[in-house]
Amino acid sequence: MSNRDLSRGYNGLAADLLHANMIAPARELEYFERRIRANGGKALEPACGTGRHLIPLLERGLDSVGADASADALRLARKAARERGLEPEFYHQTMQSCCVPYTFGTIYIPNGSFPLIWDREEALQTLALFRGHLAPGGQLIMETFVPDPGGIRGPD
């Protein structure tokens, strides 16, 4: 496994650090809440990590489920949710293997997580999986960035 291989997500100390920085910016939460409410139905966060966005959105009354490749991150998300009296559904899976028993009004991916899929074909296949999980008129929302081709390289 290369140092860039995140196929099993952020585990161990990395999951603990994600959990320690659990507070999502209010503007982000407000944006996702508006979009999810406008789209209606259930929402999916397919790289939910420790629940930084998912848990506050659930506290706002939204119907959202989470998935993540990291067993450690999901353990911390479950714990944080229970502490707030919430019992969300979580799925232990990668974005690339997205398989949940619902269709969604919104699939949202905050934190620039989607570009963690380095391979173009794998990214396109993942987008096709997401499309298959969207209800008619549903929306995929993701934060991303355009890397400087001179500064970021793919896997060796």
Side-chain angles (χ1 to χ4, degrees):
M1 178 170 15
S2 81
N3 62 351
R4 292 186 188 102
D5 184 356
L6 294 172
S7 61
R8 287 179 274 164
Y10 291 99
N11 287 292
L13 180 59
D16 291 337
L17 290 171
L18 282 174
H19 187 62
N21 292 298
M22 184 85 169
I23 300 171
R27 287 179 54 194
E28 288 181 23
L29 291 172
E30 290 164 6
Y31 173 78
F32 288 118
E33 180 181 7
R34 275 194 320 272
R35 297 306 322 139
I36 292 167
R37 288 194 190 285
N39 293 331
K42 192 178 283 289
L44 169 67
E45 185 178 346
C48 70
T50 60
R52 180 176 184 227
H53 289 82
L54 179 74
I55 292 171
L57 292 172
L58 290 168
E59 289 178 316
R60 294 172 181 214
L62 297 171
D63 185 9
S64 189
V65 300
D68 202 89
S70 169
D72 288 346
L74 289 174
R75 177 182 48 79
L76 292 167
R78 283 185 184 96
K79 181 177 183 274
R82 276 193 307 272
E83 289 170 355
R84 291 165 174 83
L86 302 168
E87 293 286 335
E89 289 181 65
F90 289 107
Y91 296 87
H92 184 204
Q93 61 188 16
T94 64
M95 287 186 282
Q96 301 93 311
S97 63
C98 182
C99 182
V100 290
Y102 304 107
T103 56
F104 301 94
T106 308
I107 298 175
Y108 63 102
I109 310 172
N111 304 318
S113 295
F114 189 78
L116 294 174
I117 303 172
W118 286 87
D119 181 79
R120 177 181 170 75
E121 285 305 311
E122 196 173 5
L124 292 172
Q125 290 169 1
T126 303
L127 290 172
L129 278 174
F130 291 159
R131 184 175 186 176
H133 281 292
L134 284 172
Q139 185 177 38
L140 170 63
I141 304 167
M142 68 173 115
E143 291 180 332
T144 188
F145 64 95
V146 178
D148 173 2
I152 297 178
R153 291 184 21 213
D156 298 331

